[in-house]
């Protein structure tokens, strides 16, 4: 399947540059994948489409202030570093820019030496592994020196770091936010629970795959970068009970979807406590085993994310919904509007 099949025209002015003042103020395109009916609503209207016995699955990863600006010892060259994931202890995999200046043994200093990074490995894809040195607590140093790693299509500065975190973000480790969850407030989640909708949490730390475009001409030749996930036994038991009771599992975001589908695939359609690395790549005609509905944002043309939702709802239906979203002037990407796909 050629990746051009997942292309669409998107006016640049529809790429949301800043979050809305109120998280729930976003619009919501609702797509019934069976009837192909499209409705234009607002995000709080999600309550009308959820039922007692349904379960929302949220990714509780927390974004690190993972973009650092430093200088290379010896030359004074400016180096930008993006933390991807912790390898072990103070060893991290990173992206460096310009990468060619960071060779084995290169030392980068941040904050006048408050933090240093020594390159210990060069990865095949061009990433680096570095060993950090510092005094005190790493995450406190990072919070002092780091910036939120906003995607390259966002040109505006983020005035409030927490607006690139979900209200339930807990587990430190992501290089990007699971943006479908940015629309929820604590109050809305409480309202849904009072309706009889259960809330479950899983973790997937968003890594390099978010920043890596599909460079292959055909979908089948693209290789996903592995990301760390975790589901505890409590969540597994809850989801199995929902399935047994004929409730619906509604995944909030593509990261939650990939985690759920990985675990279901590895356990014959059931959920179990699990941790590991997943490089699952979901594209048509993938057969879903875990989810019954999906809340997601609007994604980049030719991205692995639009391929995933095309697998769930059908490529032709999704591309038609995207054309309508452009026509109706929806806001796109990380700080944009939302979409709910169900049957």
């Amino acid at each position: 399947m050629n990746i051009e099949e997942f292309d669409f025209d998107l006016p640049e002015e529809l790429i949301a540059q800043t979050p809305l003042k109120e998280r729930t103020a976003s619009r919501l395109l609702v797509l019934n994948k069976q009837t192909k009916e499209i409705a234009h609503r607002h995000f709080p209207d999600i309550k009308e489409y959820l039922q007692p016995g349904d379960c929302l699955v949220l990714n509780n990863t927390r974004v690190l202030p993972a973009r650092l600006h430093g200088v290379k010892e010896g030359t004074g060259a400016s180096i930008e570093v993006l933390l991807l994931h912790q390898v072990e202890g103070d060893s991290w995999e990173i992206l460096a820019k310009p990468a060619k200046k960071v060779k084995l043994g290169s030392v980068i200093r941040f904050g006048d030496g408050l933090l240093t990074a020594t390159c210990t490995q060069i990865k095949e894809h061009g990433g680096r592994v570095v060993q950090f040195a510092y005094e005190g607590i790493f995450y406190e140093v990072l919070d002092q020196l780091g910036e939120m790693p906003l995607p390259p299509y966002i040109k505006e500065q983020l005035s409030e770091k927490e607006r690139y975190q979900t209200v339930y973000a807990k587990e430190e480790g992501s290089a990007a936010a699971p943006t479908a969850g940015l629309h929820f407030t604590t109050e809305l989640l409480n309202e849904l629970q009072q309706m009889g909708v259960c809330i479950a949490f899983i973790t997937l730390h968003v890594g390099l795959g978010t920043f890596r475009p599909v460079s292959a001409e055909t979908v089948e030749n693209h290789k996903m970068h592995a990301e760390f996930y975790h589901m505890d036994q409590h969540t597994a038991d809850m989801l199995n009970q929902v399935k047994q009771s004929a409730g619906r599992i509604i995944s909030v975001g593509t990261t939650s979807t990939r985690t759920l589908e990985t675990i279901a695939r590895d356990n014959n359609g059931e959920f179990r406590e699990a941790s590991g690395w997943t490089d699952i790549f979901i594209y048509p005609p993938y057969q879903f085993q875990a989810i019954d509905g999906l809340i997601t944002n609007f994604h980049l043309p030719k991205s692995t994310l639009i391929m995933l939702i095309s697998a769930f709802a059908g490529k032709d239906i999704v591309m038609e919904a995207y054309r309508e979203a452009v026509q109706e002037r929806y806001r796109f990407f990380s700080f944009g509007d939302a979409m709910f796909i169900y049957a």
Side-chain angles (χ1 to χ4, degrees), residues 270-291:
E270 293 189 358
F271 299 104
R272 295 182 185 175
E273 181 173 3
S275 293
W277 294 83
T278 181
D279 61 357
I280 191 171
F281 181 17
I282 298 174
Y283 57 88
Y286 177 88
Q287 296 298 309
F288 285 80
Q289 297 185 61
I291 71 168

Side-chain angles (χ1 to χ4, degrees), residues 187-262:
E187 292 75 18
L188 179 55
L189 290 171
N190 288 339
E191 284 184 58
L192 292 171
Q193 285 183 299
Q194 290 166 8
M195 286 171 47
V197 175
C198 72
I199 307 295
F201 295 100
I202 54 88
T203 303
L204 182 134
H205 292 321
V206 189
L208 180 63
T210 296
F211 298 92
R212 188 176 172 216
V214 178
S215 55
E217 289 186 9
T218 59
V219 173
E220 294 82 359
N221 288 332
H222 178 70
K223 172 69 174 170
M224 293 287 283
H225 193 82
E227 295 165 314
F228 179 81
Y229 71 89
H230 173 71
M231 175 189 285
D232 63 25
Q233 191 61 50
H234 174 73
T235 294
D237 291 343
M238 187 186 301
L239 295 177
N240 286 327
Q241 180 59 43
V242 170
K243 284 282 192 186
Q244 291 164 11
S245 304
R248 297 180 301 171
I249 293 177
I250 311 295
S251 177
V252 178
T254 56
T255 61
S256 297
T257 301
R258 294 178 65 240
T259 304
L260 293 169
E261 291 296 327
T262 295

Side-chain angles (χ1 to χ4, degrees), residues 1-8 216-217 219 302 307 319:
M1 189 181 304
N2 195 292
I3 66 164
E4 297 299 328
E5 295 184 45
F6 298 92
D7 197 11
F8 63 92
E217 289 186 9
V219 173
K302 300 190 284 189
M307 294 171 193
M319 300 313 291

